[in-house]
Amino acid sequence: MSATVRVDIRQLPHGEGLALPAYQTADAAGLDLLAAVPLETPLVLLPGKYAMVPTGLTIALPPGFEAQVRPRSGLAAKHGVTVLNSPGTIDADYRGEINVLLINHGEAPFPVRRGERIAQMVIAPVARAQLMPATSLSTTDRGGGGFGSTGQ
């Protein structure tokens, strides 16, 4: 069973009237983020181009949590549109607007319309590392094998 964490959310003036992010199914991991572009002027992503898409939202995550902005599989599969810096990270101390950096890898222009689901946001706990200088590291079967070293 999943734990519930409180996240305060605020709609900015250009996001008013849009639904707040929501889980689409009972077991969904991500909340859908909506485009807060003007109704009368959709943002058109030309093939090979990218743009920052506003959501009209700010959030306050509790310490020890992050929000990850991830692509929506349907946009990627149907249109070649995805989140360029996937996953985008929203730190617990960030209070600015959530924007989604979309890129069009498809062959046709893609209009981003107001209220369209453009990405998903996953709230996750953060583990902080304590880096310890060492003169050597433990050995493993893999060793220093890099890209493709464990299979095809």
Side-chain angles (χ1 to χ4, degrees):
M1 178 170 195
S2 299
T4 300
V5 60
R6 177 189 166 133
V7 177
D8 292 336
I9 189 165
R10 183 172 69 101
Q11 270 185 318
L12 300 172
H14 61 280
E16 288 180 5
L18 295 175
L20 291 178
Y23 296 104
Q24 297 299 307
T25 66
D27 291 324
L31 299 137
D32 283 337
L33 294 173
L34 309 180
V37 297
L39 183 62
E40 59 281 355
T41 53
L43 185 154
V44 178
L45 271 179
L46 298 175
K49 300 298 180 184
Y50 59 90
M52 195 77 73
V53 182
T55 66
L57 300 172
T58 60
I59 59 173
L61 293 162
F65 285 85
E66 68 162 332
Q68 298 173 7
V69 178
R70 301 179 181 179
R72 291 193 63 243
S73 58
L75 283 183
K78 295 174 187 172
H79 306 284
V81 173
T82 191
V83 177
L84 183 58
N85 63 321
S86 180
T89 300
I90 301 168
D91 295 309
D93 58 353
Y94 177 68
R95 294 296 182 270
E97 181 175 8
I98 297 171
N99 289 286
V100 178
L101 186 56
L102 288 182
I103 186 166
N104 183 355
H105 288 300
E107 297 177 0
F110 181 79
V112 178
R113 295 183 173 84
R114 184 172 182 80
E116 182 166 7
R117 295 183 295 160
I118 55 169
Q120 54 184 327
M121 180 173 65
V122 175
I123 308 300
V126 173
R128 302 236 358 174
Q130 180 182 5
L131 301 179
M132 304 298 295
T135 57
S136 64
L137 301 177
S138 62
T139 60
T140 66
D141 288 341
R142 181 177 182 178
F147 292 97
S149 65
T150 61
Q152 294 186 34

